[in-house]
Amino acid sequence: MSSDCKALQEKIIKLKKERKALILAHNYQIIEIQEIADYVGDSLQLARKSAESRGYDMIIFAGVRFMAEMAAVLSPTVPVYIPDPGALCPLAAYIDAESVRKKKEEYPDTPVVVYVNTTADTKTETDVICTSGSAVEVVESLGADTVLFGPDANLAEYVRRHTDVNIIDIDSRGRCYVHNMFDLSMLLELKEKYPDAVAIAHPECPIEVQEAADMVGSTGMMAKTVAESDAKMFIIATEMGMVHQLQKQHPDKTIIPLYEGAICRQMKKHTLEKILDVLENLPEANLVKVPEYSAPHIRGVLERMNKVKGQGPAKAVSAES
Ligand code: SF4
């Protein structure tokens, strides 16, 4: 790490104490940001942390915008700032409130489940939200024959294969471009090269990658599995920030990325300089606002998801197999 970077980190740490700022960073952030964060996790873990922000005067959320919006909903009295307001998730952009409304007209009386990777506006049109780990159980909890689902068609396909429910994509083109970089041949090659490695794929990966992996789950589940498993080697099919973090936390284990080019450009828009700017200047443009009408609905659909049993991995086998 350069001395400039270290100096910047020290400045941020000092100022965040003075400002009583809580810094939350997603697993895909660069290590330098993860190091100055109070908490690092997946989108749901960070949303839950933001709900525990009593005693802080501000939250700085280093993740994409829909995540910061969730924090703003769950922490209505503490202002939430995003270091780069242009950090938007392209997967979330595949559907919006209008496209959900249109789909509901096409399929009246059909419940709508959306993945947490959606804007606040889109969530306002849904019956319940889900995470990658809870999607199957959330869909089944509705007791419906047919469910409208979006925006991730890869996750939708996973749910389709693991339930008897008819899953209709709100937009069948919806994909995370980062996880869609992975393909089956990459995984088979690494599995052949490292036969003892446990392969863990994120549910946003193409379905054939998920099916060839030993486990499927969110970044939070990956962190837990690597920490608790006796296995010494893991093939990780998700964004590189997570790979770096796992390797740093577990120097005794070998973390192999499925593809080193899997980098989310939107997550990487945040920098230490931008975090410092928020702390120094509290720019209005970086303040995350959620329409007042949508916040109670979002809290309701989140609560509905939380009531559904099980937030674990979508598919799991023992580390020995
Ligand atoms: S990794 Fe994919 S889903 Fe996550 S923020 Fe980037 S584009 Fe969106």
Side-chain angles (χ1 to χ4, degrees):
M1 187 189 299
S2 73
S3 55
D4 281 0
C5 176
K6 191 100 198 109
L8 211 47
Q9 283 183 320
E10 279 165 10
K11 232 169 160 179
I12 290 171
I13 290 166
K14 184 170 173 281
L15 204 51
K16 85 170 172 160
K17 272 191 200 134
E18 288 169 24
R19 287 274 194 204
K20 288 197 191 161
L22 172 68
I23 302 184
L24 302 176
H26 190 266
N27 288 318
Y28 297 163
Q29 290 306 308
I30 55 170
I31 282 288
E32 290 78 5
I33 289 182
Q34 293 189 11
E35 283 171 351
I36 52 94
D38 295 289
Y39 193 80
V40 179
D42 64 24
S43 56
L44 188 66
Q45 290 169 331
L46 296 180
R48 289 184 173 144
K49 280 286 158 195
S50 65
E52 299 164 10
S53 57
R54 206 177 313 153
Y56 290 96
D57 288 346
M58 65 187 290
I59 295 173
I60 298 181
F61 201 108
V64 283
R65 195 171 187 94
F66 78 80
M67 298 176 182
E69 286 180 344
M70 288 281 281
V73 165
L74 293 174
S75 177
T77 55
V78 180
V80 177
Y81 289 85
I82 187 163
D84 187 319
L88 305 173
C89 168
L91 171 61
Y94 274 100
I95 62 174
D96 59 14
E98 181 55 23
S99 57
V100 177
R101 276 196 293 271
K102 278 200 180 134
K103 210 70 180 178
K104 287 202 282 193
E105 277 167 30
E106 222 182 300
Y107 296 91
D109 304 322
T110 306
V112 180
V113 179
V114 297
Y115 189 28
V116 66
N117 293 41
T118 40
T119 65
D121 223 27
T122 308
K123 287 187 180 85
T124 309
E125 290 294 329
T126 67
D127 294 295
V128 59
I129 58 174
C130 71
T131 59
S132 50
S134 65
V136 171
E137 282 166 299
V138 166
V139 165
E140 287 184 337
S141 74
L142 297 169
D145 297 336
T146 304
V147 162
L148 302 177
F149 192 95
D152 192 328
N154 288 338
L155 181 59
E157 183 56 28
Y158 181 84
V159 177
R160 201 171 281 125
R161 291 184 186 206
H162 290 82
T163 66
D164 294 328
V165 181
N166 178 26
I167 305 293
I168 296 175
D169 290 309
I170 298 169
D171 187 329
S172 59
R173 297 167 301 175
R175 302 269 186 310
C176 161
Y177 75 96
V178 180
H179 291 90
N180 228 41
M181 290 178 192
F182 303 127
D183 70 32
L184 183 59
S185 63
M186 294 172 179
L187 182 53
L188 295 181
E189 201 178 302
L190 283 182
K191 280 184 99 166
E192 200 182 323
K193 199 166 167 194
Y194 306 104
D196 295 335
V198 177
I200 315 179
H202 193 279
E204 290 164 18
C205 293
I207 194 74
E208 56 280 9
V209 173
Q210 296 186 35
E211 294 201 326
D214 300 304
M215 304 178 83
V216 178
S218 67
T219 53
M221 170 275 205
M222 289 177 183
K224 192 168 185 290
T225 303
V226 173
E228 294 175 358
S229 168
D230 292 336
K232 291 283 174 219
M233 197 181 276
F234 297 85
I235 298 166
I236 297 294
T238 194
E239 211 267 353
M240 283 303 289
M242 187 68 200
V243 173
H244 293 140
Q245 184 199 138
L246 289 173
Q247 191 59 82
K248 191 165 183 231
Q249 287 174 348
H250 304 283
D252 56 323
K253 299 188 178 185
T254 305
I255 310 296
I256 305 156
L258 183 53
Y259 173 50
E260 288 186 1
I263 292 169
C264 177
R265 293 190 299 275
Q266 288 70 27
M267 284 280 187
K268 302 294 192 270
K269 285 189 170 186
H270 302 309
T271 60
L272 289 174
E273 286 83 356
K274 288 175 188 174
I275 291 175
L276 184 63
D277 179 52
V278 167
L279 283 166
E280 283 178 339
N281 303 310
L282 307 179
E284 181 71 16
N286 297 54
L287 189 58
V288 178
K289 291 176 189 152
V290 176
E292 250 175 59
Y293 65 86
S294 62
H297 184 86
I298 296 171
R299 276 193 286 273
V301 291
L302 182 63
E303 205 174 304
R304 193 166 179 194
M305 177 191 81
N306 286 338
K307 281 190 184 145
V308 177
K309 197 180 135 278
Q311 298 291 316
K315 160 193 175 187
V317 295
S318 72
E320 291 80 43
S321 57

